[in-house]
Amino acid sequence: ITILDGETTRSRFDADATFDGHDLPVDLHVSEAVPTDDDDLLVTIGVYPQDLRMQEESNVLELMEGVTADIDTNDDGDDGSDESENGENGDDDADGENGDGGGDDDESEDDDDGILGTLE
């Protein structure tokens, strides 16, 4: 495959993973190290359930080949976070909740089994 304008070898391995207590056979893609302009070495890795190889292998290869060494920096000193002066993220509502809809709501965790639900 081509990473950072250089040809390198990509290998696919069979592996076993555990997700949320379920054992799952996965494909693990690893590229050989590619040198960057900063004298660093870059290695790409991709993993997906083996049952989804026909759907996901091309996506992993596209992601590996799409890696870029360009870094978008923010020169105004702002790190991009939404932290307010009191250290909490997001906009504070009158009831103290942030308005992002996220958080640690236990009730929503069991609603979606994600990829495991499709494989069972």
Side-chain angles (χ1 to χ4, degrees):
I1 62 174
T2 302
I3 299 176
L4 298 180
D5 297 324
E7 294 292 317
T8 190
T9 301
R10 183 261 322 171
S11 298
R12 184 180 71 210
F13 300 94
D14 292 337
D16 294 314
T18 302
F19 292 101
D20 199 21
H22 295 85
D23 291 333
L24 188 65
V26 297
D27 281 345
L28 171 67
H29 295 258
V30 181
S31 70
E32 287 186 359
V34 176
T36 67
D37 292 337
D38 297 332
D39 294 326
D40 290 329
L41 294 174
L42 174 75
V43 174
T44 60
I45 299 171
V47 179
Y48 53 81
Q50 285 180 355
D51 289 344
L52 299 177
R53 181 181 295 163
M54 295 298 292
Q55 296 165 275
E56 295 301 329
E57 185 170 30
S58 63
N59 294 331
V60 166
L61 296 177
E62 184 176 343
L63 287 170
M64 291 174 135
E65 291 184 331
V67 169
T68 178
D70 297 333
I71 298 174
D72 185 20
T73 59
N74 191 347
D75 294 332
D76 65 1
D78 182 12
D79 65 358
S81 69
D82 290 334
E83 286 192 27
S84 61
E85 289 181 21
N86 63 5
E88 294 181 18
N89 289 335
D91 297 327
D92 290 336
D93 294 337
D95 60 2
E97 293 181 15
N98 62 18
D100 64 359
D104 296 326
D105 295 335
D106 290 339
E107 64 191 61
S108 65
E109 289 180 18
D110 295 328
D111 294 342
D112 182 13
D113 289 336
I115 196 117
L116 291 177
T118 63
L119 297 174
E120 292 178 348

